[in-house]
Amino acid sequence: MNKLRKIANTALFAALTAVGAQIAIPVGNVPITLQMFFVFLSGFLLSPFEAMTSMLLYLTLGALGLPVFANFSGGIAHLVGPTSGYLWAFPISAFLIAQLRRKFNTVLSGIVGLVVVYIIGWIVLGLHIGSYRKAFIVGVIPFVLIDFAKLFLANLVALKVDKVMRGKEYGQT
């Protein structure tokens, strides 16, 4: 049963990330989506391996052409294009968040995971557009505040889900 639960959780977070990608506000080359919210949440609630695997499954589904990326798009081009660094950083970030939350608190582990996404995404975007300065201006700065809001919201949701999963809600003991 435990193995089945792990498989289900991995698939669930890949699917949630796909749904989060569809909730998008276009901002230049990199839209604001809820993908990062689910990267945080996977890291907060799953084991490091499950969190990483869920994001790798999400990328695989997109690479196969399923419309799981922003604006109901898919295909390998998303994994080699200007914003591909952000996507490739998701599995690394989810793994690190899950690993670090065991030693530190969830917010600190989430900040580390977010910095990883920003660094990898910024470098790849900078290579594609030929300017790291411009890449930082369009690919990092507009997202910092909203990503911190996602981080804190994901932390609150994770705390609530964890309580429910341990039977600490609704008068259970």
Side-chain angles (χ1 to χ4, degrees), residues 44-170:
F44 293 160
L45 294 172
L46 304 178
S47 74
F49 180 77
E50 292 165 345
M52 178 184 67
T53 304
S54 70
M55 294 303 125
L56 287 171
L57 176 58
Y58 168 69
L59 296 181
T60 301
L61 294 171
L64 292 172
L66 275 71
V68 298
F69 299 137
N71 300 316
F72 292 99
S73 60
I76 198 79
H78 290 279
L79 299 178
V80 296
T83 60
S84 63
Y86 298 98
L87 294 171
W88 284 112
F90 288 175
I92 300 165
S93 177
F95 178 86
L96 286 173
I97 292 167
Q99 188 68 37
L100 293 174
R101 77 152 201 276
R102 297 168 178 211
K103 296 177 182 159
F104 306 103
N105 65 43
T106 54
V107 172
L108 183 58
S109 67
I111 291 170
V112 171
L114 182 58
V115 168
V116 166
V117 170
Y118 283 158
I119 289 172
I120 296 171
W122 167 59
I123 289 171
V124 173
L125 184 59
L127 286 170
H128 277 271
I129 65 175
S131 168
Y132 290 108
R133 183 180 180 280
K134 184 176 178 186
F136 191 78
I137 291 169
V138 301
V140 176
I141 292 174
F143 303 95
V144 173
L145 290 178
I146 194 135
D147 283 339
F148 269 93
K150 292 176 210 173
L151 168 60
F152 289 110
L153 182 59
N155 183 52
L156 292 174
V157 170
L159 290 171
K160 191 69 149 172
V161 168
D162 188 51
K163 281 183 182 179
V164 170
M165 296 305 290
R166 288 184 294 124
K168 300 293 183 187
E169 286 290 309
Y170 310 112

